[in-house]
Amino acid sequence: DAASMFALIVAASAGARVAPSTAPRAPAARKATGAVAVPAKTARGASLVRRADNLINGNVSGSAESVAGLGGDIGARDATAGEIESGFNAKSIGEADTEHILKVPEGIRDITELFKRSCVSLDGTEGQLEESQKLVYQKQVADWKIRKVDGHEVLRREYRTANKEDAQEVINRLSTVAECENKKVDSFIEGPGVRIEIWSKAVNGLHMNDFILAAKIDKLDLSDKVVKKPPNVFLV
């Protein structure tokens, strides 16, 4: 009634604890569910320490090795037991302090090595090599440089000889190789040496034939006619 309500208001304003007139409602029962596992917290950076420890001790997973072998990089480390057993070192060229280069399988080398291929006939419909192709082929004929002459590119190599007679003999030997491939070389005797240029007139530039011929020429033994350039000596 009004009197009871007034008494409650007065008591509340005076700071007295007022017992509720009714019992508090019990919380609704939760629906039973399966237990949820809460992951234990680990020290900050513990996973990185664990991964580093695995790498140091050679505990690298097969998937990690596969990623590294296909171009991934998991950092400098010692070889794992699996890598040592595989004999991976037998497939590389170089020492411990050099950049290692994987050997090309023998079957692939027979196909890709230029000096084992033959020049093809050109009918004028073929195009010049793309820049990326020229750079790939030039790696097999590193002594030949790509130069531009009279508006077209050529492969150029220079040989140092003791005299003009030896220079002419070098030209004769190189021309014999070129004739076997139905090609020709442009030769110029300059002082104590000779300059050789190769290009394909049919494409007004460089074709794969030119790199094949250059690779075959590189296999010639010209040691009896060519003088090696003395190395530069720097006095400290």
Side-chain angles (χ1 to χ4, degrees):
D1 57 358
S4 298
M5 182 63 69
F6 178 74
L8 288 172
I9 295 173
V10 172
S13 64
R17 293 176 64 88
V18 180
S21 56
T22 58
R25 295 179 63 184
R30 283 188 171 184
K31 186 177 180 181
T33 59
V36 178
V38 179
K41 291 185 177 181
T42 57
R44 188 172 185 181
S47 62
L48 294 177
V49 173
R50 186 164 54 251
R51 288 174 59 192
D53 182 66
N54 286 337
L55 292 178
I56 292 173
N57 294 312
N59 300 324
V60 182
S61 66
S63 59
E65 289 187 10
S66 297
V67 171
L70 293 175
D73 185 3
I74 58 178
R77 58 173 175 77
D78 292 334
T80 65
E83 290 172 335
I84 294 174
E85 291 177 1
S86 70
F88 76 101
N89 192 45
K91 303 175 184 176
S92 62
I93 304 175
E95 301 299 333
D97 58 348
T98 64
E99 180 182 356
H100 286 251
I101 305 173
L102 291 180
K103 287 184 180 179
V104 179
E106 294 298 329
I108 300 298
R109 292 177 64 179
D110 292 341
I111 301 175
T112 58
E113 288 188 331
L114 291 174
F115 78 93
K116 294 184 178 180
R117 306 177 71 170
S118 299
C119 295
V120 298
S121 59
L122 304 178
D123 58 11
T125 60
E126 300 81 4
Q128 298 180 13
L129 288 175
E130 295 182 1
E131 193 67 26
S132 59
Q133 292 176 305
K134 287 184 287 189
L135 295 177
V136 169
Y137 292 143
Q138 192 181 17
K139 291 181 182 297
Q140 294 193 40
V141 289
D143 291 327
W144 296 79
K145 308 304 179 185
I146 298 176
R147 296 290 184 262
K148 201 155 191 175
V149 178
D150 298 332
H152 60 80
E153 288 184 327
V154 301
L155 282 179
R156 175 186 293 172
R157 182 175 179 180
E158 297 174 351
Y159 296 90
R160 184 185 181 94
T161 58
N163 48 60
K164 291 186 178 180
E165 290 72 19
D166 287 349
Q168 186 59 52
E169 178 60 24
V170 169
I171 293 174
N172 295 340
R173 295 183 188 182
L174 269 56
S175 297
T176 300
V177 177
E179 290 173 3
C180 292
E181 297 295 327
N182 294 318
K183 285 184 66 64
K184 64 181 295 292
V185 297
D186 294 335
S187 55
F188 308 88
I189 296 178
E190 299 175 334
V194 58
R195 171 166 53 92
I196 302 297
E197 293 178 355
I198 305 173
W199 62 292
S200 295
K201 186 175 181 180
V203 300
N204 194 35
L206 292 177
H207 185 269
M208 184 175 64
N209 286 349
D210 305 308
F211 290 90
I212 292 174
L213 177 57
K216 290 181 179 294
I217 288 175
D218 285 349
K219 291 297 179 180
L220 283 178
D221 183 8
L222 301 173
S223 58
D224 60 325
K225 298 298 178 183
V226 172
V227 178
K228 289 186 177 181
K229 184 179 179 181
N232 294 324
V233 179
F234 299 94
L235 300 179
V236 179

